[in-house]
Amino acid sequence: MSPIPAQPDLRESSRLRSLLRAIRNGNVCVLYQTSDLAYVWAENLPDIWVDMWHVGLYDHELLEAPMAAQLVAAKRSVLETGEPQRIEIAVPHDDQFRWFELSIDCDRDDDNATIGVVTTAVDVTELKRREQVLKTLLREVSHRSKNLLAIIQSIAMQTARFTGTVDDFLLKFRGRVQSLSYSQDLVTDSNWRGAQFRELVRSQMQKYVDAADPRFTLSGDDPYIFPGAALHIGLALHELIVNSTSYGALSNGQGTIMISGKLENIGTDKMSLLIRWDEKVPGSLQGQDLNARFGSAVLERIVPTSVNGTSNYHIEPDGVSYSLDVPRSQFDL
């Protein structure tokens, strides 16, 4: 026995219910106006308009004057030309804006005469907010990239200034860029918050000495170093480590290195982080080339200036000492 065909009115009512359910589930609002732009009905009206809604409402009663004028102009164009229009409007709400994307089309009768305007409104507020966040992030990435490129350019120029051969330049330049890479990885992993002091030290030491090596001691406070300062402090540590592996404590089994971070003047406007490198080397360092030219430029001028701090760098017959005083503006507790 063949199924009984659905009655036309039943089929249309079920179709209408399905369409209305789809509109509500899709966060879509549909509004209808007569040819004189008076509202007749609305389906799934946004909450910001519910209290002011009534039949016979006009756009200037629903929206602020500039936005209403733009919307009315678009709808009159649809009525005159029959061509659909699409615009975005921003509606003030709770000290913010709600954004809607409007698709405007004309409604025609059986004789193809225009009798009204149908507007479909989609709330795109969250999309707009995500776009704004993305734009902000892209601007931040661009800013940080420019800063990083400036640091690399400075390293290249200073390295070239104090090296005599291409091979020597490449060896030193690669090491310094790798140092930046280690620090940058920490900054990126923290979602650009920065790098914790101890992690920063370990990341620079890992290529040259194991953290459990008895020659190496790391102690003291462990604040978060902000991104720009982390890159420069990492570079200073790299210079000290390279010199140590070539001529100092890490070049033999007898020397020791003590690195510490200590918060100074806690609770005052002069609060700072004092980073110390104390290296002891049996025998004498006199006459050794400790890369003091570029190394000292980084340690005594470039890094302190970049972090708005001060430094002291001393090479003694039995070791090396370096201290860097980093102001509160460059780290977080």
Side-chain angles (χ1 to χ4, degrees), residues 14 69 71 81 116 119 139 146 158 169 173 232 269 290 301 309 317:
S14 64
L71 186 56
T81 67
T119 302
R139 284 196 297 269
K146 290 177 181 178
Q158 293 291 341
F169 168 82
F173 182 68
H232 285 93
D269 56 1
L290 293 183
R301 293 196 300 275

Side-chain angles (χ1 to χ4, degrees), residues 31-302:
L31 305 102
Y32 188 89
Q33 293 165 280
T34 58
S35 57
D36 66 349
L37 299 184
Y39 282 102
V40 177
W41 58 263
E43 184 63 39
N44 202 28
L45 197 67
D47 55 351
I48 60 174
W49 290 326
V50 168
D51 291 340
M52 65 181 70
W53 171 261
H54 61 82
V55 174
L57 187 75
Y58 288 92
D59 284 309
H60 69 269
E61 300 174 82
L62 199 61
L63 300 169
E64 293 184 347
M67 191 61 65
Q70 179 185 357
L71 186 56
V72 168
K75 291 176 179 178
R76 293 199 183 282
S77 175
V78 169
L79 289 170
E80 293 170 5
T81 67
E83 295 295 325
Q85 295 281 332
R86 178 169 293 187
I87 65 171
E88 285 186 350
I89 62 172
V91 182
H93 179 66
D94 292 340
D95 298 324
Q96 295 182 342
F97 284 96
R98 290 274 294 275
W99 286 87
F100 295 90
E101 184 179 90
L102 306 182
S103 298
I104 307 166
D105 205 348
C106 58
D107 181 36
R108 302 177 187 274
D109 61 16
D110 294 338
D111 298 323
N112 205 35
T114 300
I115 58 173
V117 174
V118 180
T119 302
T120 304
V122 180
D123 191 332
V124 293
T125 304
E126 287 304 314
L127 177 61
K128 284 289 185 180
R129 289 173 181 167
R130 287 195 293 268
E131 288 178 352
Q132 186 59 47
V133 169
L134 181 58
K135 288 178 181 178
T136 301
L137 290 175
L138 289 174
R139 284 196 297 269
E140 182 68 13
V141 168
S142 176
H143 174 71
R144 294 185 185 277
S145 297
K146 290 177 181 178
N147 287 344
L148 186 58
L149 289 172
I151 295 172
I152 294 172
Q153 183 182 35
S154 176
I155 291 174
M157 293 175 63
Q158 293 291 341
T159 304
R161 182 180 177 187
F162 295 117
T163 52
T165 67
V166 173
D167 288 342
D168 191 24
F169 168 82
L170 290 176
L171 179 64
K172 294 178 180 178
F173 182 68
R174 286 169 180 163
R176 287 157 183 161
V177 171
Q178 186 67 62
S179 166
L180 289 178
S181 175
Y182 292 149
S183 300
Q184 185 65 37
D185 285 344
L186 294 178
V187 170
T188 303
D189 290 344
S190 70
N191 291 325
W192 299 92
R193 182 185 174 190
Q196 283 193 272
F197 171 65
R198 295 191 185 189
E199 282 186 320
L200 185 62
V201 174
R202 294 189 186 102
S203 72
Q204 296 298 327
M205 298 289 288
Q206 64 184 353
K207 182 179 177 181
Y208 302 94
V209 61
D210 189 276
D213 193 308
R215 296 174 297 173
F216 169 59
T217 302
L218 176 60
S219 63
D221 298 306
D222 192 25
Y224 252 101
I225 311 296
F226 292 152
L231 296 182
H232 285 93
I233 293 171
L235 186 59
L237 291 167
H238 171 78
E239 296 303 317
L240 292 164
I241 294 164
V242 168
N243 285 336
S244 182
T245 57
S246 299
Y247 312 106
L250 297 181
S251 67
N252 59 65
Q254 302 299 319
T256 61
I257 296 174
M258 293 184 293
I259 304 175
S260 64
K262 182 181 179 182
L263 295 174
E264 302 276 346
N265 301 309
I266 298 174
T268 72
D269 56 1
K270 294 183 179 180
M271 183 177 177
S272 64
L273 171 66
L274 180 63
I275 299 172
R276 289 190 57 86
W277 170 289
D278 292 301
E279 179 176 359
K280 297 300 181 183
V281 184
S284 176
L285 290 174
Q286 289 181 340
Q288 297 283 359
D289 178 7
L290 293 183
N291 192 23
R293 293 173 299 174
F294 177 67
S296 64
V298 169
L299 297 170
E300 296 182 290
R301 293 196 300 275
I302 296 175

